[in-house]
Structures are given as C-alpha cells and as structure tokens.
Amino acid sequence: MIKILGDYSQMLDIILDGIKKLNIDTPLVCDHICYRVETNQRYEEIKNNLRAYSSLAGETLVSGRLISIFKLNAPIKYKDLSISCIELPAPKEGSKYLEGWEHAEFVIPKLNNFITNNENVSFNTKAMNRELNPELGYKINEEYQVKFHPLHILDVIKKENELGILSVN
C-alpha cells in the first residue's frame, strides 16, 4: 500500500464487484488507478511525495489541466490485479473533487468488440473520439467509476513523447 495516499482496497473491491454485476466477460488488466486532489498545491505536494514510490512517467495537459502518471517501483498486487501506475490529475477549474481514490482503468485491446459484446451496458462514450487511446467510462456509484481503453497508459505516454504531443482534449 502507498501510505501517503491511503487504502485503495475499498475502491477496487467496489469497482470489481460492479464489473462482475455487469457480466463483463473479459480478462481484466488494470494498468492504473487514479487519486484525485482538491487544489493545485495538493497536486504538487502529492506529486513530490509519490517520487518515493515511483518515477514520473509523464505529465500531459489533458482537457486544460495537468495529469501526471507515475510508474510504481513495485506494482500494486491486489487480488488478481497487478497495477503498475498511478494517475494524479490536477483539479479541473470549475469542477469540485474531494481528495481520494476515484477510478481504475483497464486495458481492453479490442475495444469495439468489447462494446459489441456488452451492448447491455450504458457506457459513457464521450472520450471515444480520442485518436490515440479512445476510452469508455462507466460510473459504478456516486464515488467510483471504471474506464476501459485499448492501450496501456505507459504505451500511450511513449507514443505521445514520440509524436511530440503535449496536450490532449
């Protein structure tokens, strides 16, 4: 457990239970989990503290705010998951977030097949138009959500660096 961020197990249990209730039949590969903060000052503080457990893999401007991805020195092992990264978004202006764990993201290489095979699920598709790593979302409850995308976040960062992408909508 990453002591500075607290226990992630409640979030992961709720998300895994929510996925199970959706009857999504696919192997789950969780590439990262997300921890939100309320202020830019807290963003910088957590960003600096995470360096004791990880290395900064990338920091990109996404929809007008910075998002950092940290590659953990040792992956989080939780149940059948091996989670290699933590996402830390700066607060988005005009949006209010309480500090804490917020979502988990899973790699689904054949995302269109995944959608077809799960037509009964009301996914949030607003990020499906992303060119590099389209994304589906699903709100498990008022506190947690799950996201699905075709590429591992570290592969996305590598491609962004190769292409010189500094900002994503």
Side-chain angles (χ1 to χ4, degrees):
M1 185 182 317
I2 300 169
K3 292 177 182 160
I4 60 169
L5 301 180
D7 188 6
Y8 47 77
S9 62
Q10 176 185 345
M11 175 192 69
L12 289 174
D13 284 342
I14 290 170
I15 287 172
L16 291 172
D17 187 53
I19 290 171
K20 188 176 181 180
K21 287 178 183 171
L22 292 174
N23 292 318
I24 292 174
D25 185 27
T26 187
L28 293 177
V29 176
C30 183
D31 64 343
H32 69 281
I33 54 179
C34 176
Y35 188 87
R36 294 221 185 243
V37 293
E38 294 183 59
T39 66
N40 285 317
Q41 178 181 351
R42 189 71 175 138
Y43 173 76
E44 291 299 329
E45 183 181 320
I46 295 290
K47 196 168 98 169
N48 288 331
N49 291 340
L50 276 170
R51 293 175 197 262
Y53 302 91
S54 61
S55 58
L56 181 63
E59 186 175 49
T60 305
L61 193 63
V62 178
S63 300
R65 54 122 187 260
L66 289 173
I67 295 182
S68 292
I69 302 293
F70 291 87
K71 183 178 186 300
L72 296 167
N73 296 337
I76 294 170
K77 301 286 189 184
Y78 189 76
K79 297 188 176 176
D80 292 336
L81 303 177
S82 179
I83 305 164
S84 60
C85 297
I86 291 180
E87 174 183 354
L88 179 69
K92 186 184 260 186
E93 194 163 319
S95 297
K96 178 89 169 114
Y97 297 106
L98 295 177
E99 183 164 329
W101 294 107
E102 197 264 349
H103 71 262
E105 298 200 24
F106 294 85
V107 177
I108 306 289
K110 296 181 180 180
L111 200 56
N112 287 330
N113 290 356
F114 180 71
I115 294 167
T116 301
N117 293 336
N118 295 285
E119 291 176 338
N120 60 318
V121 180
S122 298
F123 291 114
N124 177 334
T125 59
K126 73 178 184 177
M128 279 299 290
N129 293 331
R130 285 188 188 154
E131 192 172 321
L132 187 53
N133 202 26
E135 180 180 274
L136 291 172
Y138 183 78
K139 196 169 190 169
I140 300 290
N141 62 21
E142 290 303 311
E143 197 172 358
Y144 303 122
Q145 62 179 311
V146 61
K147 297 179 182 183
F148 304 96
H149 48 86
L151 299 175
H152 192 289
I153 193 66
L154 294 176
D155 293 332
V156 172
I157 291 168
K158 183 178 177 186
K159 282 189 183 260
E160 287 175 344
N161 289 336
E162 288 170 359
L163 297 171
I165 296 171
L166 304 174
S167 177
V168 178
N169 289 330

